[in-house]
């Protein structure tokens, strides 16, 4: 089994509109807290939430995940609205979301 260069720490989740999530991952010797609030929950086709690290608060991005039903399965569209001040991090952000979606795909299809 491959060991990721980061490991999860704490995780809390209150999945309701207005609720929050927070998780901590350990990367390169540092704990990073990610936090967000649920803006929309339309099970099972759409979720919209804010996304930030605790250090960046009160600034937060909006993330929308849409999963429309298809005849044979589903398709995921993830839109992360990045504040222009953080534009230099867009490639890293894109790669992180791709890695997370690929990991979920692997888990769901094994």
């Amino acid at each position: 089994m491959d060991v990721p260069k980061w490991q999860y720490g704490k995780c809390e989740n209150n999945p309701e509109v207005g609720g929050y999530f927070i998780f901590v991952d350990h990367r390169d010797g540092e704990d990073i807290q990610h936090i967000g609030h649920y803006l929309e929950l339309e099970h099972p086709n759409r979720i919209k939430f804010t996304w930030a690290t605790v250090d960046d608060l009160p600034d937060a991005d909006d993330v929308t995940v849409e999963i429309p039903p298809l005849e044979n399965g589903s398709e995921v569209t993830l839109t992360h609205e990045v504040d222009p001040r953080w534009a230099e991090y867009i490639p890293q952000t894109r790669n992180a979301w791709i890695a997370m979606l690929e990991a979920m795909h692997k888990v769901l299809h094994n």
Side-chain angles (χ1 to χ4, degrees), residues 27-101:
R27 262 187 277 176
D28 301 324
E30 183 179 2
D31 286 338
I32 302 182
Q33 287 187 313
H34 302 275
I35 191 166
H37 288 89
Y38 294 105
L39 303 172
E40 298 175 31
L41 292 170
E42 298 173 20
H43 182 75
N45 303 105
R46 181 179 166 88
I47 182 172
K48 184 171 184 176
F49 53 91
T50 62
W51 178 269
T53 61
V54 171
D55 294 339
D56 296 334
L57 292 174
D59 295 335
D61 295 336
D62 285 350
V63 177
T64 304
V65 180
E66 297 177 293
I67 309 170
L70 301 176
E71 191 172 309
N72 293 322
S74 60
E75 177 179 277
V76 175
T77 301
L78 188 145
T79 305
H80 185 145
E81 300 172 41
V82 177
D83 185 295
R85 291 176 292 166
W86 303 103
E88 69 185 274
Y89 296 101
I90 289 174
Q92 293 164 276
T93 302
R94 180 182 296 115
N95 290 339
W97 284 119
I98 288 169
M100 286 186 268
L101 291 170

